[in-house]
Amino acid sequence: MQQRAIHPSQERPPFWRDERVLSVISQIVVVGIVVGLLAFFYTNMVSSLREQLGVPIDYGFLKQTAGFDIGESLISYSRSDTYARAFLVGLLNTLQVAVLGIVFATILGIIIGVMRLSTNFLVNRIATAYIEFLRNVPLLVLLIFWAQAVFFKLPRIKEAIILPGPIYLSNRGIAIPWGIPTETWPTYTRILLGGLVLAIIVTIVLRERGKRTGRMPILSLWFLVTLIAVGIIGWFVLPQPPLVLDRPELVGFNTKGGRTLSQQFMALLSGLVIYTAAFIAEVVRAGIQSVSKGQREAATALGLTPFQVLRLVIFPQALRVIIPPLTSQYLNLTKNSSLAIAIGYPDLFAVAGNTILNQTGRAVEVFSLVMGIYLFFSLTTSLFMNIYNRRIRLVER
Amino acid sequence: MSGQAQQDDIIILQNVNKWFGEFHVLRDINLNVKRQEVVVIIGPSGSGKSTLIRCINRLEEHQSGEIIVDGIPLTHDVRNIEKIRSETGMVFQQFNLFPHLTVMENITLAPIHVRKMKKDEAEKIAMELLERVGIPEQAQKYPGQLSGGQQQRVAIARALAMRPKIMLFDEPTSALDPEMIKEVLDVMQELAESGMTMLVVTHEMGFAKEVADRIVFMDSGEIVEVGTPEHFFTNPQHERTKLFLSQIL
């Protein structure tokens, strides 16, 4: 208002030359075109499905009986369950591989990335060779090789490879010792839950104290210490241990007891982990190297120990560079898990996009669900990583 | 060397040599700095000035000879290195402030984590220092929000927060815009007048003339000439010194 008062000569240009009006108009036009096209495709698809094939879009088939078996499942499932349940089985299998894969790939990636920066010739070269080999092989080739050459070539059960534990490696899968809950297990889970609450309280208290003193303790460490301490105390306080270790043993032509992981699962998980770790290693290396040498020097000159230099100066800055590309590696791993179909692991895509689709022929419905679920996983991951990234962003100007 | 002389000399360099690979950066350096003395090191670029002061707090390792700082010999002993680092403050050409921390956090980081000081106490000291360098109102800002001159003054305050006995300056004004050089030099001059022992690598001849007790001229890794500013600017002895001065004055 004041501006106009100071420059009375500045008149409003005709609307077709006014950049403010033009930018609004152009946006309306673009949105109109996009919406129009989408609506056209959608109505076209619906009408042709209905008129030519006689199958309107309908998700009702999900309630029908699936009638097929799934190799492995985290929840109880049989062929008399519904398609919806089969969907859920695939979804959980995907989630299992994705979550474990992200955790292990991050750990392995950080180790390889730090090794890559080592001044030790051998360590450095091993890391470089690892990264260069794995980054430059197609993932599908790697997965099939990994499955065919390593996991599917395991000996017959009678000649099973036995690792200390015992762990049995055979063509029946990988049998590992596993805990079996006893009567006190429900109580123990409640103790652990209490421990979790206590750990959160301890973390909050320590963080407040850290803010007051300026010396922030390593919060995640104290969180874990509290939780583990409660876990150990609870274990011994209970009249009976909440878990007994069940060791697998050879019985006839199979292993009994413990828990058996399928070769497909192990092949997919380890393949995704070693592949993604190579990329994460490069992300970590680039992040640490992006912090200028002067930062380390200034911190060292102030008398900070090498560990303090890393924790207080290098890592917080490296993290800013690491987080965005790390997010896309997490998304890649999740999406790449759909290659499970190539080695026979029943993930979401193998179950839904292959079996269910073949049985029902409902391509639009099945794929809209499958893509929607992957999209949901990815967007959720992105959301959390973006929130984290915003919290640690640098302030400039 | 008498006991008295050792008392007075806070930095002693004896026959210090250093190589970067084949390149001989420091050749038989002998230099003693007294308490409260301000020594300015000048010389052409690549003459080893920065390397020399970086050896004093072990940012670079010397390969032969002896360095003794406040009676502590600089050896491979990590404890000695730590002690010396906590007694020497350093200011860099590129400021090297920590961009992820506020000005206040930059200054209190080392007192809290190295000196194990309480946060309140460290912040009180930090505020005093910020007032001393003339920018108390910037305490809660981030380095990226400050001008170069302000950043360098924060860097000086950060080094002073450790209560060092010696301050090392590695071309503190070389990365600054001309109009900001003076504000930093003023702070340094005030510091020198307060009795701080200072070793300054600089190209600011005005500062050298006015503030230095002694000037050291280095060329090709050697100390060529040492003397008072008066001696230096009126009556330099060596050809190389004369050549250098004629080029920059």
Side-chain angles (χ1 to χ4, degrees):
Chain A
M1 284 292 134
Q2 264 185 342
Q3 289 263 319
R4 210 167 289 165
I6 297 166
H7 306 285
S9 64
Q10 223 181 34
E11 281 169 20
R12 233 186 132 84
F15 75 90
W16 63 88
R17 283 203 336 245
D18 189 333
E19 59 172 2
R20 290 164 297 185
V21 177
L22 286 177
S23 82
V24 171
I25 290 176
S26 63
Q27 289 193 42
I28 291 172
V29 168
V30 170
V31 169
I33 291 173
V34 171
V35 169
L37 275 176
L38 287 178
F40 170 72
F41 287 135
Y42 182 75
T43 50
N44 191 31
M45 180 184 76
V46 171
S47 69
S48 59
L49 277 176
R50 184 180 299 131
E51 285 158 21
Q52 294 167 19
L53 299 169
V55 277
I57 289 181
D58 179 11
Y59 289 90
F61 75 95
L62 285 172
K63 292 192 187 119
Q64 295 164 10
T65 306
F68 63 92
D69 285 319
I70 298 178
E72 55 192 292
S73 171
L74 288 172
I75 52 175
S76 68
Y77 171 84
S78 71
R79 52 170 54 213
S80 57
D81 279 318
T82 58
Y83 280 118
R85 186 136 183 114
F87 245 107
L88 190 61
V89 169
L91 191 155
L92 289 175
N93 280 343
T94 290
L95 212 53
Q96 184 188 15
V97 166
V99 171
L100 289 176
I102 284 174
V103 171
F104 289 125
T106 308
I107 296 170
L108 185 61
I110 290 174
I111 293 172
I112 306 275
V114 172
M115 278 170 70
R116 182 88 198 268
L117 288 173
S118 167
T119 43
N120 181 313
F121 180 82
L122 192 64
V123 170
N124 181 319
R125 287 310 137 105
I126 289 173
T128 308
Y130 176 93
I131 292 167
E132 290 309 326
F133 177 71
L134 284 160
R135 275 207 311 177
N136 294 305
V137 175
L139 176 57
L140 183 59
V141 175
L142 181 75
L143 278 179
I144 292 179
F145 165 77
W146 202 242
Q148 293 294 344
V150 181
F151 287 95
F152 296 172
K153 288 286 185 295
L154 286 172
R156 285 178 305 165
I157 192 82
K158 274 195 210 158
E159 293 130 27
I161 303 165
I162 304 171
L163 299 176
I167 298 170
Y168 289 91
L169 302 170
S170 71
N171 59 2
R172 301 278 170 126
I174 293 94
I176 57 170
W178 199 254
I180 291 186
T182 61
E183 286 163 23
T184 53
W185 173 250
T187 324
Y188 190 63
T189 52
R190 260 170 247 141
I191 293 177
L192 282 185
L193 212 64
L196 190 68
V197 172
L198 184 69
I200 292 171
I201 293 171
V202 166
T203 309
I204 291 171
V205 169
L206 283 177
R207 198 177 64 183
E208 286 312 308
R209 221 190 58 154
K211 270 187 200 157
R212 218 169 47 244
T213 59
R215 250 195 308 279
M216 192 59 81
I218 305 175
L219 294 176
S220 45
L221 185 72
W222 285 107
F223 182 87
L224 278 179
V225 165
T226 315
L227 195 57
I228 291 170
V230 170
I232 291 173
I233 292 167
W235 188 282
F236 288 108
V237 163
L238 289 173
Q240 186 191 357
L243 289 172
V244 285
L245 195 63
D246 185 24
R247 293 194 169 84
E249 50 191 330
L250 276 180
V251 177
F253 288 108
N254 216 333
T255 54
K256 193 167 165 276
R259 185 174 168 177
T260 305
L261 305 167
S262 76
Q263 295 136 287
Q264 288 84 359
F265 172 75
M266 289 304 290
L268 179 66
L269 179 65
S270 52
L272 285 173
V273 165
I274 59 167
Y275 178 78
T276 312
F279 290 88
I280 292 181
E282 280 296 271
V283 167
V284 168
R285 180 188 63 81
I288 292 178
Q289 280 184 339
S290 74
V291 181
S292 76
K293 223 175 95 205
Q295 292 289 312
R296 185 186 293 268
E297 285 179 353
T300 307
L302 283 169
L304 297 173
T305 64
F307 178 69
Q308 286 175 327
V309 174
L310 266 183
R311 182 163 95 88
L312 300 169
V313 177
I314 308 292
F315 272 157
Q317 293 184 63
L319 218 50
R320 289 153 220 274
V321 180
I322 290 174
I323 293 299
L326 187 64
T327 308
S328 52
Q329 289 311 323
Y330 287 173
L331 301 184
N332 279 345
L333 189 144
T334 309
K335 292 182 291 174
N336 287 341
S337 72
S338 63
L339 290 172
I341 196 169
I343 53 176
Y345 177 72
D347 78 326
L348 176 65
F349 179 62
V351 171
N354 195 34
T355 315
I356 296 182
L357 176 64
N358 283 339
Q359 290 198 8
T360 64
R362 296 198 167 266
V364 177
E365 294 89 335
V366 166
F367 274 102
S368 64
L369 278 174
V370 169
M371 287 196 278
I373 290 168
Y374 278 115
L375 197 62
F376 175 74
F377 285 166
S378 295
L379 291 180
T380 313
T381 312
S382 293
L383 177 72
F384 283 111
M385 297 297 272
N386 286 344
I387 289 172
Y388 183 56
N389 197 33
R390 190 156 313 145
R391 269 188 46 201
I392 59 169
R393 188 176 48 173
L394 270 194
V395 177
E396 306 216 24
R397 307 238 153 245
Chain B
M1 193 178 287
S2 72
Q4 187 57 43
Q6 273 184 345
Q7 280 284 304
D8 282 353
D9 292 334
I10 193 164
I11 302 173
I12 301 167
L13 303 172
Q14 273 175 346
N15 300 321
V16 173
N17 279 286
K18 175 165 181 61
W19 289 262
F20 283 132
E22 290 288 294
F23 182 55
H24 201 167
V25 244
L26 296 178
R27 299 164 190 260
D28 283 326
I29 300 290
N30 286 294
L31 180 69
N32 288 11
V33 179
K34 291 190 179 59
R35 281 178 201 283
Q36 309 210 331
E37 194 177 20
V38 177
V39 175
V40 168
I41 305 173
I42 60 174
S45 44
S47 59
K49 314 180 292 286
S50 290
T51 309
L52 176 62
I53 70 165
R54 287 160 61 88
C55 279
I56 292 170
N57 66 353
R58 231 343 135 90
L59 285 184
E60 304 282 358
E61 189 184 327
H62 62 288
Q63 274 125 16
S64 74
E66 257 191 282
I67 298 179
I68 300 169
V69 180
D70 199 24
I72 308 161
L74 185 55
T75 58
H76 290 288
D77 187 338
V78 184
R79 223 166 76 197
N80 286 8
I81 296 174
E82 271 172 25
K83 267 194 212 160
I84 289 175
R85 279 181 182 154
S86 64
E87 289 199 1
T88 51
M90 188 158 196
V91 176
F92 300 85
Q93 182 177 353
Q94 299 297 338
F95 329 137
N96 294 345
L97 293 179
F98 307 130
H100 61 301
L101 301 178
T102 62
V103 165
M104 180 56 85
E105 289 165 341
N106 262 279
I107 300 175
T108 56
L109 183 78
I112 288 172
H113 285 94
V114 181
R115 292 258 193 261
K116 308 294 177 199
M117 209 181 269
K118 288 219 175 69
K119 194 184 176 190
D120 304 344
E121 201 187 335
E123 287 188 342
K124 208 175 122 235
I125 292 171
M127 270 327 281
E128 285 167 17
L129 288 168
L130 280 175
E131 262 157 44
R132 189 167 167 191
V133 299
I135 39 173
E137 71 283 0
Q138 311 288 359
Q140 297 311 321
K141 289 200 181 159
Y142 283 88
Q145 298 170 303
L146 304 184
S147 73
Q150 289 172 331
Q151 287 193 47
Q152 192 61 298
R153 286 188 281 163
V154 172
I156 294 173
R158 179 176 70 177
L160 290 176
M162 287 294 282
R163 299 257 179 267
K165 295 182 179 167
I166 302 161
M167 285 287 283
L168 306 172
F169 290 86
D170 189 1
E171 305 203 25
T173 56
S174 298
L176 293 175
D177 292 337
E179 76 272 20
M180 292 170 185
I181 290 175
K182 188 170 177 300
E183 65 187 54
V184 171
L185 290 182
D186 285 349
V187 170
M188 288 169 63
Q189 185 161 5
E190 187 269 328
L191 195 60
E193 282 159 8
S194 77
M196 177 63 75
T197 309
M198 289 165 61
L199 216 57
V200 185
V201 173
T202 189
H203 296 294
E204 294 297 327
M205 291 304 140
F207 178 83
K209 211 181 269 183
E210 210 167 315
V211 182
D213 295 315
R214 275 192 299 164
I215 294 178
V216 173
F217 173 68
M218 283 184 74
D219 191 13
S220 318
E222 288 175 311
I223 292 183
V224 179
E225 198 166 349
V226 182
T228 62
E230 198 186 12
H231 157 89
F232 238 87
F233 291 106
T234 54
N235 188 23
Q237 297 299 304
H238 287 262
E239 280 310 311
R240 283 194 279 181
T241 320
K242 284 178 195 164
L243 180 67
F244 177 71
L245 288 173
S246 72
Q247 281 166 341
I248 60 163
L249 288 180

